[in-house]
Amino acid sequence: MYVLCEVDKDGAHMVGYFSKERLSPDNHNVACILTLPPYQRKGYGKFLIQFSYELSKRDGQVGTPEKPLSDLGKLSYRSYWSWVLLDLLKDLNGTVSIRELSNLTSITEDDIISTLQMLNIVKYWKGQHIICVTPKQVEEHLKGENYRKPLLTVQQEALKWFQKGKRGRPTKKQKNAND
């Protein structure tokens, strides 16, 4: 379980958490995610979502939340996926495949396809999904009301995370890589 706290002069206050299975056969990078009601709409939910994907990237895995998602969960994930994908697409020159986007983001191909379908920038042609979008369309989405850059983001360079070894501690190789 990963717990997020807000710290003030009175101490640390839990604002939310997420949990995940260590080894998920279904590639779930989140089993349960919650932002407590007084802290909702402040960016903590998307922060926790981004954090779960950063851990998936460190593991070299793609992931998806355990389903079904609540209505609010679906909105939060769809918003996060849209932000990540549009942010990537605005900086790309040339073509990119769904699989390449998945490898770059650790978001599953199914979640990418459903998000791109919602944004109306993917077509199904000759048995495969093809991204069909112009830089102008990406810019229009980025300026639209459905696109919201997260209020809080994970500082990837500050993330120090180790997979536990057999004894519950980081392996020597992991310790040396993060020093």
Side-chain angles (χ1 to χ4, degrees):
M1 180 181 299
Y2 299 85
V3 178
L4 178 64
C5 295
E6 195 175 74
V7 179
D8 63 18
K9 63 180 176 43
D10 297 321
H13 312 281
M14 185 176 105
V15 299
Y17 72 90
F18 74 91
S19 62
K20 63 186 274 177
E21 297 175 55
R22 271 199 173 162
L23 300 170
S24 171
D26 299 317
N27 292 327
H28 293 144
N29 63 348
V30 169
C32 182
I33 186 168
L34 171 78
T35 303
L36 296 171
Y39 300 100
Q40 291 175 357
R41 311 222 32 93
K42 294 182 179 184
Y44 292 120
K46 281 188 195 164
F47 181 86
L48 289 168
I49 292 169
Q50 183 187 15
F51 187 69
S52 73
Y53 278 102
E54 292 303 325
L55 295 179
S56 293
K57 287 178 191 176
R58 298 285 168 107
D59 275 346
Q61 302 289 321
V62 296
T64 188
E66 203 171 282
K67 298 188 177 70
L69 292 170
S70 67
D71 291 341
L72 187 56
K74 192 178 291 187
L75 283 172
S76 296
Y77 269 93
R78 192 57 60 82
S79 177
Y80 172 76
W81 294 329
S82 296
W83 169 67
V84 169
L85 296 171
L86 289 169
D87 202 52
L88 259 175
L89 290 172
K90 78 174 167 71
D91 295 328
L92 286 177
N93 293 323
T95 62
V96 64
S97 70
I98 303 290
R99 178 165 287 143
E100 289 169 323
L101 287 176
S102 180
N103 290 337
L104 289 168
T105 62
S106 287
I107 300 170
T108 64
E109 291 182 32
D110 287 343
D111 291 335
I112 290 172
I113 291 167
S114 70
T115 302
L116 295 180
Q117 285 172 332
M118 181 203 69
L119 294 169
N120 201 26
I121 58 176
V122 69
K123 305 288 183 223
Y124 191 73
W125 188 64
K126 293 188 178 184
Q128 62 182 347
H129 288 91
I130 308 293
I131 299 169
C132 298
V133 66
T134 65
K136 184 179 178 183
Q137 288 171 307
V138 172
E139 273 306 309
E140 286 173 8
H141 279 296
L142 291 173
K143 291 177 184 174
E145 63 183 50
N146 292 333
Y147 173 81
R148 290 191 191 141
K149 185 176 180 176
L151 299 172
L152 306 168
T153 56
V154 174
Q155 295 176 335
Q156 298 168 2
E157 66 282 354
L159 182 60
K160 301 286 185 203
W161 180 79
F162 304 102
Q163 261 188 319
K164 290 185 178 179
K166 291 179 184 176
R167 296 188 181 142
R169 295 184 294 245
T171 64
K172 287 181 184 179
K173 183 178 177 184
Q174 290 170 329
K175 270 186 170 175
N176 292 336
N178 281 302
D179 285 341

